[in-house]
Amino acid sequence: MKFPRTYSLKEIAALIDTPFVGSDDFPVSGMNEIHVVEPGDIVFVDHPKYYDKALNSKATVVLINKEVACPEGKALLISEDPFRDFNTLTRYFKPFESAAASVSESATIGHGTIVQPNAFIGNNVKIGTDCVIHANVSIYDNCVIGNNVTIHSGTILGADAFYYKKRPEGYDKLVSGGRVVVEDDVDIGANCTIDRGVTGDTTIGKGSKLDNQIQIGHDTVLGEKCLIASHTGIAGCVVIEDEVTLWGQVGVISGITIGKGAVVYAQSGIGNSLEGGKTYFGSPAVEARHKMRELATIKNMPSILKKLENK
């Protein structure tokens, strides 16, 4: 998430009422999660296990719950509760805006695009040319849709990230301020849900095709010309490279990468990153040919055991 202008470290510290380490005028241009930070961004960290990762990231401002040595060229915001204060900043820079109409006056809709009855188009949404948005589609605020995109009924773009911190009194939600970006020539089936990024974008690459009833989590990047079949569930912060095929009921854990051209057979569970150009099956998913041999061996176990008993 980029701020509307560059703020000073002192200004940001005043918004969350917290001390800081660095010059008053140290420039701050945005905020992001660790996997997408850039110079000028704020990143938050609230566990010693991840201090080094945050301090050595591309972020130049670290919102942290302990005063530590500040790396050269960076600044610190010292907070009792970085999770809470990150939420405070998200709410300040991306406040919730209630809708005044089914299609917001601030939405931009390109020439030749058809929006069917009962669709909802939120604030600041951008839709390109020659798209078809079917009935009962909901496109939340700030989403970006390219050209020649078809979205079928019941699909929701831009719902909040499924991201919570466990506290003694219950679960505290990380506020979502990101977007969903759908590139050109994408087809999205009925009753799909694509969550927006926490501070960045959830992206559906050019020419990809999604079947019905697919879930894609926050900040996931789906490459170009991918095929995703029905009932697939993809967690947050996943990178799926170009021309990947995921067949029905595939489940994908968060934070992994699936390489270009990989094919994953139906009902597989992906718990680790997968190399591109190979075919996978099983849970946890392994190369399909190895899994098929394993299943054949298991099928033959009774006869193998019987032979051993007769020796």
Side-chain angles (χ1 to χ4, degrees), residues 161-183:
F162 186 72
Y163 194 140
Y164 294 85
K165 181 179 179 66
K166 189 174 184 179
R167 300 190 187 271
E169 64 275 15
Y171 290 98
D172 194 3
K173 182 178 184 177
L174 188 62
V175 176
S176 297
R179 310 181 299 175
V180 171
V181 175
V182 178
E183 297 180 351

Side-chain angles (χ1 to χ4, degrees), residues 10 47 71 85 91 94 106 112-113 151 171 188 196 199 264 276:
K10 185 176 181 179
H47 194 290
D85 288 337
R91 290 190 181 100
K94 287 290 183 182
S106 62
T113 288
I151 305 176
Y171 290 98
I188 301 176
R196 60 180 167 163
T199 49
V264 183

Side-chain angles (χ1 to χ4, degrees), residues 110-278:
H111 176 75
T113 288
I114 297 169
V115 178
Q116 296 282 65
N118 297 323
F120 171 75
I121 312 294
N123 299 304
N124 306 311
V125 168
K126 296 179 181 178
I127 303 176
T129 61
D130 300 314
C131 298
V132 179
I133 312 300
H134 283 279
N136 301 314
V137 168
S138 293
I139 303 177
Y140 286 26
D141 293 1
N142 304 309
C143 290
V144 178
I145 313 296
N147 303 319
N148 192 35
V149 172
T150 299
I151 305 176
H152 286 277
S153 294
T155 284
I156 299 171
L157 305 186
D160 287 347
F162 186 72
Y163 194 140
Y164 294 85
K165 181 179 179 66
K166 189 174 184 179
R167 300 190 187 271
E169 64 275 15
Y171 290 98
D172 194 3
K173 182 178 184 177
L174 188 62
V175 176
S176 297
R179 310 181 299 175
V180 171
V181 175
V182 178
E183 297 180 351
D184 296 349
D185 304 316
V186 169
D187 292 342
I188 301 176
N191 294 322
C192 294
T193 48
I194 303 175
D195 295 342
R196 60 180 167 163
V198 171
T199 49
D201 295 336
T202 303
T203 303
I204 309 300
K206 183 177 180 179
S208 287
K209 311 299 181 183
L210 278 62
D211 198 358
N212 305 319
Q213 297 178 324
I214 291 167
Q215 157 68 16
I216 297 179
H218 69 90
D219 296 287
T220 282
V221 177
L222 182 68
E224 296 185 2
K225 295 184 285 186
C226 293
L227 289 176
I228 312 296
S230 181
H231 295 168
T232 290
I234 302 169
C237 303
V238 174
V239 175
I240 299 176
E241 296 180 351
D242 297 346
E243 299 176 31
V244 168
T245 299
L246 303 180
W247 292 116
Q249 297 184 334
V250 168
V252 184
I253 197 172
S254 65
I256 66 168
T257 297
I258 301 175
K260 181 178 179 179
V263 176
V264 183
Y265 289 161
Q267 295 192 326
S268 294
I270 304 175
N272 297 289
S273 293
L274 301 179
E275 292 183 26
K278 297 180 179 180

